[in-house]
Amino acid sequence: MLKKVFASAVFGVEASTITVEVNTDTGIGYHLVGLPDNAIKESNFRIAAALQNNGYRIPGKKLIINMSPADLRKEGSAYDLTLAIGILASSNQIKAEDLERYIIMGELSLDGTLQPIKGALPIAVKARQEGFKGFILPSQNAKEAAIVDNLEVYGVDNIKQVIDFFDKGETLEQTIVNTREEFEKNLNYPEFDFSDVKGQEGIKRCMEIAAAGGHNIILIGPPGAGKTMLAKRLPSILPPMTLHEALETTKIHSVVGRVKETGLMAQRPFRSPHHTISNVALVGGGSYPQPGEISLSHNGVLFLDELPEFKREVLEVMRQPLEDREVTISRAKFTVTYPSSFMLVASMNPSPGGYFNDPNAPVTSSPAEMQRYLSKISGPLLDRIDIHIEVTPVPFEKLSEDRKSETSVEIRKRVTAARDIQTNRFKESDTVHYNAQMNTKQIRKHCVLDEPSKQLLKTAMERLNLSARAYDRILKVSRTIADLEGVEDVNGSHISEAIQYRSLDREGWLG
């Protein structure tokens, strides 16, 4: 007897429906076809134990199971429940009249309990698009899937509940999530606050500009100057995520199984990978592609501490994603694209010894060592970082003073106001939402300079030997500075301040 059960496979951040055809015939054998990986091939052992421990069995007949489309590789243990229910229905051990109206997925333990799966949110989105009535999955993933409306989501703890639902008509408790309420409930800010930072007013100003325009920033300073402390507090001044951004971010984290049971992610991600990371782990990929750190940082912050310690080839693969804000991974049979619109925050020591340009510390690195250290970061990569700023140690007087620093809440109000200006400015565009994303045409339109400002910028370009890309970066940052002031036109003071934030372009750093 032939029965069809439906599951789903995730490619990139999108899902594709998989039809599992189970045919029971005379004879003996268990044949699983349709490009399953080893985890799926081993499922018959888990299924046999789970069924036996719940009063059922794999029939002593010839079972042929086809996972369609047969030319698409399937991966993971999430098909255990799908296969088990298909086997029971095909062998007439249970009645399953409504089987084709549901997507069914879950990994089975030997006692029949269900383990969480990856990609529940994109699977739920696809199920709704294709008109399925409901989605049955492990209870740990239920809130995540229930974010999608107009789809019945049933979270279950064991296979017996699913069997009784189809065979005996017993009810399952539907998981219902009010997406807007869930979003607002989870909308909070990191525990780190800029009020903890003593001194460093100029650096905090830079961080505010970076947050307001979505600009990439690199902090250069000796050990103990506070680079990491400042970077960790950047998410606390970023504007709150919109519901659309929250859904987009949750979808990516769902693919790698990193969504907590709260369901919707409403806090901007902050990722800080170790400098030993591989290029595949950073950008994404693998024989069966998965999103990397830059995609997990989408709509948030990617912090690369001690930038020159990263392998050069690892840093170079970031150049295209920084420009295009997405990563495309191609394989022989398919291509996947992951969004990667993130703020890059990097930090580095100014020299191998850490104290170059510090008058109070001896220079312990030779010019050749300095050049070798700094050459690990290519010029094209630095050109894609809008703001370069030196971080100097805080003097004792500043550290010991009782005066409270400005809080993240106060800074965030100004940042949000500047972002609102940009949202209104780019409301006609689908791809550009803040200044750092502007293309050349938009820069020329929104960063019109008067003659004195042009001369100032021309002089800086000639003296610092800046590239065309650095020229665009200065204009973008000056546009953000003007937005923070709430003025329409970019003027000389904005250009002058933006030029100051190109420390690594100055003579004595890289040349």
Side-chain angles (χ1 to χ4, degrees), residues 17 29 38 55 61 95 109 115 128 133 135 138 144 186 223 235 262 273 305 362 380 382 412 454 485 490:
T17 300
N38 286 333
K61 294 186 177 182
K95 291 179 288 185
S109 297
Q115 301 300 317
R128 182 184 65 181
K133 179 184 179 183
F135 183 13
E144 178 188 339
N186 294 339
T262 50
D305 199 8
L382 283 175
R412 189 167 62 243
K454 284 182 183 177
E485 289 185 8
V490 176

Side-chain angles (χ1 to χ4, degrees), residues 273-284 293-294 302 304 306-322 342 344 376-378 381:
H274 193 260
H275 62 77
T276 56
I277 192 171
S278 68
N279 52 7
V280 171
L282 183 67
V283 176
E293 290 290 337
I294 63 172
L302 176 68
L304 301 183
E306 301 300 340
L307 191 65
E309 299 300 327
F310 285 78
K311 296 173 188 172
R312 182 168 177 134
E313 61 268 23
V314 171
L315 296 178
E316 290 304 297
V317 295
M318 282 203 308
R319 283 163 53 176
Q320 179 259 337
L322 280 170
F342 60 92
L344 173 65
K376 291 182 179 180
I377 310 168
S378 69
L381 178 62

Side-chain angles (χ1 to χ4, degrees), residues 328-454:
T328 300
I329 299 166
S330 297
R331 294 291 177 266
K333 292 187 177 180
F334 60 90
T335 298
V336 297
T337 299
Y338 297 112
S340 59
S341 182
F342 60 92
M343 275 186 66
L344 173 65
V345 181
S347 74
M348 61 178 283
N349 293 332
S351 66
Y355 295 97
F356 177 69
N357 279 1
D358 187 345
N360 299 317
V363 177
T364 58
S365 305
S366 68
E369 288 174 326
M370 280 285 301
Q371 189 61 37
R372 192 161 52 247
Y373 177 74
L374 294 172
S375 66
K376 291 182 179 180
I377 310 168
S378 69
L381 178 62
L382 283 175
D383 278 348
R384 287 168 169 81
I385 300 177
D386 301 349
I387 299 174
H388 312 160
I389 190 70
E390 291 179 63
V391 182
T392 54
V394 181
F396 176 78
E397 291 75 16
K398 287 281 186 183
L399 285 173
S400 58
E401 69 180 9
D402 294 329
R403 185 173 65 87
K404 283 193 173 183
S405 299
E406 195 174 26
T407 66
S408 291
V409 173
E410 295 169 302
I411 301 172
R412 189 167 62 243
K413 285 178 183 176
R414 297 194 295 269
V415 169
T416 303
R419 282 285 184 105
D420 288 342
I421 292 171
Q422 294 164 55
T423 299
N424 186 59
R425 176 182 298 137
F426 304 120
K427 62 185 176 184
E428 302 299 327
S429 174
D430 293 329
T431 56
V432 178
H433 307 289
Y434 44 85
N435 291 335
Q437 296 176 323
M438 283 193 291
N439 57 35
T440 304
K441 183 178 178 182
Q442 289 164 327
I443 291 171
R444 301 294 175 266
K445 179 180 178 181
H446 299 297
C447 304
V448 179
L449 303 181
D450 56 22
E451 198 56 39
S453 299
K454 284 182 183 177

